Amino acid sequence: MSLNSNIPSGPLAEKWDKHKFDLKLVNPANKRKYDIIVVGSGLAGASASASLAEMGYNVKCFCFQDSPRRAHSIAAQGGINAAKNYPNDGDSVMRLFYDTIKGGDFRAREANVYRLAQVSANIIDQCVAQGVPFAREYGGLLANRSFGGAQLSRTFYARGQTGQQLLIGAYQALSRQIGKGQVKMFPRTEMLELVVHEGRARGIVVRDLVTGKVSSHSGAAVVMASGGYGNVFYLSTNAMGCNVTATYRAYKKGAFFANPCYTQIHPTCIPVSGDYQSKLTLMSESLRNDGRVWAPKAKGDKRHPNDIPEDDRDYYLERVYPSFGNLAPRDVSSRQAKYACDEGRGVGETGLGVYLDFKESIQRLGESTVRERYGNLFQMYERITGEDPYKQPMRIYPAVHYTMGGLWVDYNLMSNLPGLFVLGEANFSDHGANRLGASALMQGLADGYFVLPYTIADYLAKQGPAKLPEDHAEFKKAEASVNDQTKQFLGMNGKRTVDSFHKELGKIMWEYCGMARNETGLKKAIQRIPELREEFWKNVKVPGSGESLNMELEKAGRVADFLEFGELTCRDALDRNESCGGHFREEYQTEDGEAKRNDEKYCYVAAWEHNGKSEPKLNKEPLVYENIHLATRSYK
């Protein structure tokens, strides 16, 4: 199938403004005739719902949490990027654009990324107007700090709880519209089917997670803002409820899934401590502003870190990447930590860890300044590990954090299925093969506040407000599918828990499709995952009823989707015979262990099409760079 990205013509800096003028509009008096469905209530979903409702559309917003404030966006810590150049250190829209393209290892769509950089400054103004308490300098101006992949300070922050504060701002705007009746909120409700009729997305089928009731909801358009799929690895920094179900079931209804193998490994997480763990904890990348990363020079050096003298320490990021130092991007920083541990220089009981040391910063800045900048993060670390990071270095190790892949969308954020729009982490569009820190919050709010409100109107104006009746055969068919799966889960009386299958899948994915991949391992994974999936459908045990709150039933549906999606991820990784960003194939690396791209053969978006029970079909969207030159990515 030919993929039309609908990128506007004209100079890069003028594309978005020209495109906004060319888009069709919906008369304000007609907006109240349109019903729009939004799946997800994080930064992308909440901002989109609030914006669309403020414009006059009728919005139905669905989330599986008990409140929009429980969305995983709340867990983001370090900050949000914007090209405002407040520190006067040389930032610009063009520089943010280039840093993001380079950070993604030249595997993102040029026009989308430039638009993201353009609207970034508007996001800060919007959030300040909402009362988001960004950190400020002594004189009252908004403060900035640095993040990985940039040699300047463009990251706005609210200590270590930026995601929480931004989500509260979006939630306030959403709550105002709920109060006005423009948004109808459906908490504790999970989308389980996308309804497609005559090639267009027309609604969804959901299950009330408290009562078990299955119901249909029709709309003129469906907006998917359901987050990422990092929990396919079982252990990740994501909330335990994060899943791939909404986007994967849209994929099975015809939406293309793009670049699923692009998974981000974050270098600054608290290391795994035992098999009992169900998730991992992120330590914000902002800590690398003042913390220095190091490992012992000698193999097997198990001395207390405070007893290891400077001459016996390897500050490897400062050594390997002198221009960027401890603020090298996430993918390269993660690999360097892995190399140190593979050499036997890892720390902690497992040997899977390196140090993040604040001793020098505390001496230089004073402990009070460090407490002011990072106090809540230090408290969180101490509560989890029992170690005081003011007195000894933190132990950190890479972990799955974010997913750059997602449903394919065009410049208007619409998937190849007309009427299905995809925002934030649920789409693939802006980060390429590696996301720079503090850009997830930027993309989610850009999509919801400043892009979708324009582009969705163009689609709605062309289609009209007519809805597919909720008693239509397509809705009934989708409801029957949901009920049949529930009966199937409850009817099996196997011997294994859902979590045991999820954990086994996670180990396969981490071992063969994690920080490093190779052909042999990926082929093993593609062989083992279908075997595990077959056992799941024969031997899983889901206790309880489908007519009440049943978290094991919820997890069963999500793990069933992960067991299919994991195979798709490995197929995508196997098909891409190059290394780029977070996709590191061991066969394709430079002499000094860096990613080695193949621009001649793989400079494209891999958009996978569901093909029934046979192997998925690969569609390709060529990536064309008209304003920058493809270059070997270097942070040295």
Side-chain angles (χ1 to χ4, degrees):
M1 178 178 177
S2 176
L3 290 172
N4 183 3
S5 57
N6 288 313
I7 296 174
S9 59
L12 184 65
E14 299 173 13
K15 286 182 187 293
W16 179 230
D17 289 336
K18 177 181 181 297
H19 190 60
K20 285 191 291 185
F21 179 76
D22 291 339
L23 291 170
K24 292 187 178 298
L25 303 175
V26 177
N27 184 309
N30 287 337
K31 288 176 182 173
R32 67 178 69 98
K33 301 176 183 177
Y34 290 87
D35 292 344
I36 300 175
I37 291 170
V38 179
V39 181
S41 64
L43 284 180
S47 60
S49 297
S51 298
L52 294 172
E54 185 75 41
M55 296 166 70
Y57 297 108
N58 304 307
V59 177
K60 289 183 176 181
C61 184
F62 298 82
C63 70
F64 61 74
Q65 297 92 350
D66 55 5
S67 164
R69 280 195 58 186
R70 303 279 287 182
H72 185 57
S73 300
I74 205 169
Q77 296 170 352
I80 177 171
N81 288 330
K84 277 188 168 291
N85 195 32
Y86 281 177
N88 197 29
D89 55 358
D91 202 8
S92 65
V93 169
M94 190 66 187
R95 192 174 292 277
L96 175 54
F97 157 71
Y98 184 76
D99 285 348
T100 306
I101 287 282
K102 177 184 175 182
D105 216 347
F106 301 92
R107 287 294 179 264
R109 190 188 287 151
E110 199 178 58
N112 285 66
V113 178
Y114 191 87
R115 176 178 63 188
L116 177 65
Q118 273 182 297
V119 305
S120 64
N122 297 339
I123 298 170
I124 304 304
D125 295 339
Q126 169 90 359
C127 294
V128 169
Q130 290 174 333
V132 172
F134 287 120
R136 293 180 180 269
E137 303 287 0
Y138 178 77
L141 296 178
L142 296 181
N144 288 115
R145 58 188 178 197
S146 299
F147 257 63
Q151 291 181 303
L152 39 72
S153 296
R154 63 161 66 100
T155 304
F156 296 78
Y157 63 97
R159 296 187 72 185
Q161 48 186 247
T162 312
Q164 177 179 351
Q165 299 301 332
L166 291 172
L167 187 60
I168 290 172
Y171 177 62
Q172 288 175 159
L174 176 61
S175 296
R176 178 172 180 270
Q177 297 303 321
I178 294 171
K180 291 175 62 178
Q182 286 297 118
V183 174
K184 187 174 182 182
M185 195 71 216
F186 293 84
R188 301 297 287 134
T189 306
E190 185 168 27
M191 175 201 148
L192 295 178
E193 280 290 352
L194 176 71
V195 175
V196 179
H197 179 61
E198 296 181 347
R200 290 169 52 201
R202 306 303 298 271
I204 61 174
V205 171
V206 302
R207 179 175 180 271
D208 186 308
L209 297 181
V210 177
T211 67
K213 181 182 178 182
V214 173
S215 59
S216 293
H217 300 268
S218 179
V222 176
V223 178
M224 191 95 50
S226 54
Y229 49 84
N231 277 352
V232 70
F233 292 85
Y234 186 70
L235 286 180
S236 79
T237 66
N238 291 185
M240 289 180 64
C242 294
N243 62 83
V244 76
T245 290
T247 49
Y248 191 74
R249 298 199 182 180
Y251 161 73
K252 293 177 79 170
K253 284 296 184 73
F256 293 171
F257 215 111
N259 302 333
C261 76
Y262 287 172
T263 304
Q264 180 169 81
I265 312 296
H266 197 295
T268 318
C269 302
I270 298 178
V272 176
S273 57
D275 286 340
Y276 59 85
Q277 277 187 267
S278 56
K279 76 176 299 295
L280 298 173
T281 302
L282 172 71
M283 287 283 100
S284 170
E285 182 174 312
S286 64
L287 293 168
R288 291 196 278 149
N289 271 279
D290 292 309
R292 302 178 70 194
V293 180
W294 63 275
K297 288 183 178 179
K299 295 181 180 180
D301 189 340
K302 297 300 182 183
R303 287 178 289 177
H304 190 280
N306 292 348
D307 296 332
I308 300 177
E310 285 290 315
D311 289 345
D312 291 343
R313 299 181 179 190
D314 177 20
Y315 294 92
Y316 56 84
L317 291 179
E318 299 172 25
R319 172 175 56 82
V320 178
Y321 306 107
S323 293
F324 285 76
N326 295 296
L327 285 172
R330 292 173 176 180
D331 57 331
V332 296
S333 300
S334 294
R335 280 196 293 276
Q336 290 299 328
K338 180 180 186 299
Y339 294 155
C341 294
D342 288 348
E343 292 170 359
R345 299 190 290 123
V347 303
E349 292 183 7
T350 64
L352 296 176
V354 295
Y355 290 123
L356 181 62
D357 197 336
F358 289 85
K359 180 179 179 180
E360 186 272 338
S361 293
I362 291 173
Q363 291 175 343
R364 173 170 50 87
L365 300 170
E367 185 174 318
S368 61
T369 299
V370 174
R371 284 185 183 275
E372 183 179 342
R373 291 180 180 178
Y374 310 112
N376 59 320
L377 296 171
F378 277 46
Q379 290 170 4
M380 184 167 63
Y381 179 86
E382 184 173 7
R383 287 174 183 173
I384 291 172
T385 65
E387 300 170 2
D388 184 351
Y390 292 104
K391 296 180 180 178
Q392 66 183 74
M394 292 182 177
R395 290 177 297 109
I396 58 170
Y397 191 69
V400 173
H401 176 58
Y402 187 89
T403 52
M404 287 73 68
L407 292 184
W408 182 90
V409 292
D410 66 7
Y411 189 74
N412 294 325
L413 303 184
M414 187 165 72
S415 75
N416 59 293
L417 278 180
L420 177 63
F421 293 80
V422 193
L423 314 184
E425 192 177 358
N427 75 28
F428 88 99
S429 68
D430 291 1
H431 306 298
N434 173 64
R435 177 176 69 78
L436 291 186
S439 287
L441 306 184
M442 177 173 63
Q443 187 213 347
L445 292 180
D447 287 355
Y449 281 138
F450 298 110
V451 179
L452 182 73
Y454 287 99
T455 61
I456 198 171
D458 185 70
Y459 171 78
L460 296 174
K462 294 173 182 176
Q463 300 299 328
K467 296 195 303 179
L468 192 68
E470 290 169 355
D471 59 357
H472 189 278
E474 285 294 339
F475 280 105
K476 296 304 178 186
K477 179 181 176 183
E479 287 185 20
S481 175
V482 170
N483 287 322
D484 288 345
Q485 186 179 72
T486 299
K487 291 177 183 177
Q488 187 175 5
F489 281 136
L490 297 173
M492 290 186 291
N493 194 24
K495 297 180 179 179
R496 290 186 59 178
T497 65
V498 174
D499 281 343
S500 72
F501 283 101
H502 193 182
K503 187 178 291 188
E504 185 172 347
L505 171 66
K507 289 180 179 178
I508 294 171
M509 293 296 296
W510 180 250
E511 182 174 357
Y512 299 122
C513 199
M515 256 195 290
R517 301 105 185 250
N518 59 58
E519 180 179 0
T520 301
L522 289 166
K523 287 181 175 178
K524 284 183 181 177
I526 292 170
Q527 177 185 353
R528 289 179 59 184
I529 292 173
E531 295 171 352
L532 183 64
R533 187 166 65 238
E534 183 178 358
E535 185 186 355
F536 174 85
W537 286 108
K538 291 179 180 178
N539 200 27
V540 73
K541 182 177 181 63
V542 181
S545 158
E547 298 174 355
S548 61
L549 180 65
N550 187 342
M551 296 183 70
E552 288 302 304
L553 179 59
E554 295 174 38
K555 289 191 290 185
R558 296 167 188 170
V559 172
D561 293 327
F562 277 141
L563 284 164
E564 294 185 21
F565 176 73
E567 183 180 348
L568 176 66
T569 302
C570 292
R571 289 190 182 278
D572 185 43
L574 180 63
D575 186 76
R576 187 170 285 276
N577 292 316
E578 66 166 354
S579 291
C580 55
H583 168 64
F584 191 77
R585 284 283 297 270
E586 293 175 336
E587 307 96 319
Y588 307 103
Q589 56 180 299
T590 63
E591 292 182 358
D592 52 356
E594 302 291 352
K596 188 175 182 179
R597 298 196 320 266
N598 185 339
D599 294 331
E600 183 178 344
K601 293 185 178 180
Y602 294 97
C603 193
Y604 61 75
V605 177
W608 294 92
E609 180 180 357
H610 186 61
N611 212 7
K613 292 189 177 180
S614 62
E615 294 183 10
K617 177 184 176 182
L618 176 59
N619 300 281
K620 300 177 182 179
E621 179 203 336
L623 291 170
V624 179
Y625 294 98
E626 299 174 345
N627 298 273
I628 60 173
H629 297 289
L630 288 166
T632 300
R633 185 169 171 243
S634 174
Y635 292 93
K636 295 185 177 182

